[in-house]
Amino acid sequence: MPARLDRLPWSGFHWKVVIALGITWVLDGVEITVAGTIADRLRDQAMLGLSSSEVGLGASLYLLGEVAGALSFGRLTDKVGRRKLFLLTLGVYLIGNALTAFSMNFVFFAVTRFIAGTGIGGEYTAINSAIDELIPASYRGRTDLAINGTYWLGAMIGAGANFLFLNEAYFGADLGWRIALMIGPVIGILIWPLRRHLPESPRWLLTHGRAEEADRIVAEIERDVASKGVALEPVGDDHAIELSPRGTIPYREILAVVLRDYRRRSLVGFSLMATQAFLYNAIFFTYALILADFYGIPADKVPYFIFPFAVGNLLGPLLLGRYFDTIGRRIMVGSTYSLSAVLLFVTGWLFNEDALTATTQTILWCVIFFFASAAASSAYLTVSEIFPVEIRAQAIALFFALSVLAGGVIAPWLFATLIGDGSDRGRVFLGYAVGSSLMLIGGLLEFAWGVNAERQSLEAIATPLSVRAVIAGAESGLTGGLTAHVRRGLPPGERVSGQARRE
């Protein structure tokens, strides 16, 4: 069945998956853009009267919520299925973000930001798992990058809406930012019906002993494709794998797989996720403060600068994505990370020398993040495809949580503190230099140990745990390679069940 899914051409079904599930990144983009552009207004004593550090702490709590959501919902995603969770997590996000709009003090604002974050964190684990398992292998790289890149479509929506909602000619100062926070929930409500009609991942069903249901879903997709006049070649027995469903995998085994069997992949995945998390959360959550404190840009003008910045971020994954499937993962991931690092350091140095204006700063950000956006999107692609299907969501959750904790939660608070009252450019440059160094480390590790996963089935990249009773996996070569399989005997007393299915 996995081979049947991978040999499908692009179809209307895949578009439905992209639209219904890809909306997660749009929502997060709207959310963080609105939070970033209203930062200066939240400091107004006539509004919530927050300090710069409290604004940064609110952003950090949102990210901390993402960690909690990823870890808790990630376990459930592997246990009860992708579909149930991408419906539940969307609901949690909608409730949390809608409540934020009614904040009257910092405590309420912080709590609701945390709740909204848990929903988005859970979304990342359920959505990345489902997308990778439903999209054909030859399209997986460009599709993942494009979907992750739509975060910036959300940023554009948020920035564009703020042209209206933060304009005091149309809305009162204390009303506009509250209405802006409702944009994401409205979009989420509109997309909910489409999600309800998406099927469960056949790959997940197979590993949980529900082969007939999986076969029915795959057959329905095939019939839909065939009805458009596309001839589908039959899949031979040489593409079959033998599965013996095992149910929920204990934490002990998950840690053994991640830290022992795939330790190089784990190091690469963590470095890619952590470095991009630090870069993005440091820069984007505090961009409005930079514009306000160093360039004197008022809050209602910030969207004019956020919008082109978002365009550059959106175009990067869309235009570069296909090369991750053709030139390859390792070369493209390593190159985008390294180039982003160099450009960031140069821009930080120019900022420190007071050689930039708000306009030239924004132009340089657009260039940097054209590449950095593709790099960040490829980090999510990497951790979602290089681990076995039975623990995919939990692996995504683990690396997402670790990266946010290590590179994301502290970054908004740290950069907001470095910005302070806008009197010391040197301290901000120091933060940019740290971000640049981290991105370069991520790129070099990818060059050394990245996995050449382009156009490969998920089962070829990482052997499912359900077949490890008869097939053991080992990483090959310094590049992390594809899984090299060797036969070995079953553990004493263990037999392959007669009900094991060849799918």
Side-chain angles (χ1 to χ4, degrees):
M1 290 187 205
R4 288 164 62 190
L5 287 169
D6 282 336
R7 64 81 150 91
L8 292 172
W10 191 264
S11 68
F13 168 77
H14 301 113
W15 277 118
K16 185 164 67 173
V17 170
V18 167
I19 294 171
L21 300 185
I23 198 67
T24 293
W25 285 265
V26 176
L27 293 176
D28 200 22
V30 170
E31 176 78 9
I32 291 182
T33 302
V34 170
T37 53
I38 67 174
D40 194 45
R41 187 158 291 185
L42 294 176
R43 296 188 300 178
D44 193 323
Q45 291 300 318
M47 314 303 167
L48 296 187
L50 306 184
S51 66
S52 293
S53 290
E54 285 177 329
V55 171
L57 181 57
S60 293
L61 287 172
Y62 173 78
L63 296 173
L64 189 61
E66 288 189 339
V67 171
L71 292 175
S72 57
F73 292 129
R75 180 71 170 172
L76 287 175
T77 299
D78 281 334
K79 183 177 182 179
V80 304
R82 295 17 176 158
R83 186 176 182 276
K84 289 180 180 178
L85 266 294
F86 63 59
L87 292 173
L88 173 62
T89 53
L90 179 60
V92 173
Y93 160 77
L94 294 176
I95 292 172
N97 204 50
L99 289 174
T100 303
F102 296 93
S103 298
M104 299 304 296
N105 53 55
F106 173 70
V107 173
F108 189 89
F109 177 80
V111 169
T112 55
R113 297 303 292 154
F114 180 85
I115 295 173
T118 61
I120 289 295
E123 283 272 285
Y124 279 136
T125 60
I127 300 306
N128 274 298
S129 302
I131 289 173
D132 273 8
E133 292 166 13
L134 292 170
I135 298 298
S138 58
Y139 296 98
R140 191 173 59 244
R142 70 195 73 186
T143 302
D144 265 30
L145 259 73
I147 290 176
N148 279 279
T150 58
Y151 173 99
W152 297 102
L153 176 59
M156 293 166 62
I157 293 172
N162 281 342
F163 283 127
L164 174 65
F165 297 126
L166 296 186
N167 189 330
E168 295 186 35
Y170 301 104
F171 296 93
D174 192 43
L175 176 63
W177 68 268
R178 298 178 187 275
I179 297 177
L181 285 169
M182 297 299 294
I183 299 171
V186 170
I187 296 174
I189 290 172
L190 293 176
I191 209 67
W192 187 286
L194 186 57
R195 276 199 183 182
R196 292 182 62 248
H197 290 91
L198 288 181
E200 180 57 85
S201 162
R203 284 178 158 102
W204 181 87
L205 291 170
L206 287 174
T207 60
H208 286 73
R210 296 161 62 179
E212 292 182 1
E213 186 178 349
D215 182 61
R216 184 176 69 252
I217 292 172
V218 175
E220 288 176 356
I221 300 171
E222 290 173 329
R223 282 195 297 271
D224 180 65
V225 172
S227 69
K228 305 299 190 297
V230 178
L232 296 176
E233 294 294 328
V235 176
D237 288 343
D238 57 321
H239 291 287
I241 59 173
E242 187 174 303
L243 297 179
S244 182
R246 302 182 51 201
T248 303
I249 307 299
Y251 287 112
R252 180 181 65 257
E253 185 170 354
I254 294 173
L255 291 175
V257 171
V258 172
L259 300 179
R260 182 191 64 202
D261 298 351
Y262 294 106
R263 56 187 178 275
R264 284 180 180 167
R265 297 184 183 192
S266 298
L267 177 60
V268 172
F270 171 74
S271 66
L272 295 180
M273 290 289 288
T275 54
Q276 65 83 27
F278 183 91
L279 175 68
Y280 266 97
N281 293 308
I283 301 299
F284 200 56
F285 270 115
T286 59
Y287 193 27
L289 300 181
I290 290 286
L291 292 173
D293 293 345
F294 289 96
Y295 298 112
I297 304 299
D300 62 335
K301 302 299 182 184
V302 168
Y304 289 100
F305 297 89
I306 296 291
F307 195 84
F309 177 73
V311 171
N313 277 273
L314 176 62
L315 291 178
L318 293 179
L319 297 180
L320 298 177
R322 66 189 182 96
Y323 298 113
F324 287 76
D325 283 324
T326 55
I327 295 176
R329 302 284 201 266
R330 191 158 54 91
I331 294 175
M332 288 302 300
V333 175
S335 297
T336 51
Y337 265 78
S338 300
L339 185 56
S340 301
V342 173
L343 292 174
L344 174 62
F345 185 85
V346 171
T347 299
W349 179 78
L350 291 173
F351 172 82
N352 188 48
E353 296 297 311
D354 199 10
L356 301 175
T357 64
T359 300
T360 55
Q361 174 97 51
T362 300
I363 292 172
L364 287 173
W365 283 144
C366 290
V367 175
I368 294 169
F369 285 91
F370 175 85
F371 298 101
S373 181
S377 296
S378 70
Y380 286 95
L381 166 65
T382 298
V383 298
S384 67
E385 68 180 358
I386 62 175
F387 295 101
V389 60
E390 295 89 344
I391 63 168
R392 176 160 293 118
Q394 291 173 91
I396 296 170
L398 175 63
F399 287 96
F400 177 80
L402 289 175
S403 68
V404 171
L405 286 172
V409 169
I410 193 174
W413 171 82
L414 174 63
F415 266 68
T417 302
L418 290 175
I419 291 168
D421 59 2
S423 62
D424 190 345
R425 290 175 177 266
R427 298 201 314 174
V428 180
F429 172 54
L430 177 61
Y432 291 153
V434 170
S436 173
S437 300
L438 292 175
M439 288 292 285
L440 183 59
I441 291 172
L444 294 177
L445 284 174
E446 174 66 23
F447 278 130
W449 292 337
V451 179
N452 297 309
E454 60 274 6
R455 301 183 301 280
Q456 300 289 333
S457 73
L458 295 172
E459 291 72 27
I461 298 169
T463 305
L465 300 180
S466 300
V467 301
R468 285 203 169 186
V470 281
I471 300 178
E475 294 184 73
S476 60
L478 290 178
T479 64
L482 295 179
T483 306
H485 301 116
V486 293
R487 286 276 176 180
R488 71 179 179 193
L490 298 175
E494 184 175 340
R495 301 175 62 89
V496 177
S497 169
Q499 296 181 353
R501 299 178 181 271
R502 180 174 296 276
E503 307 295 356

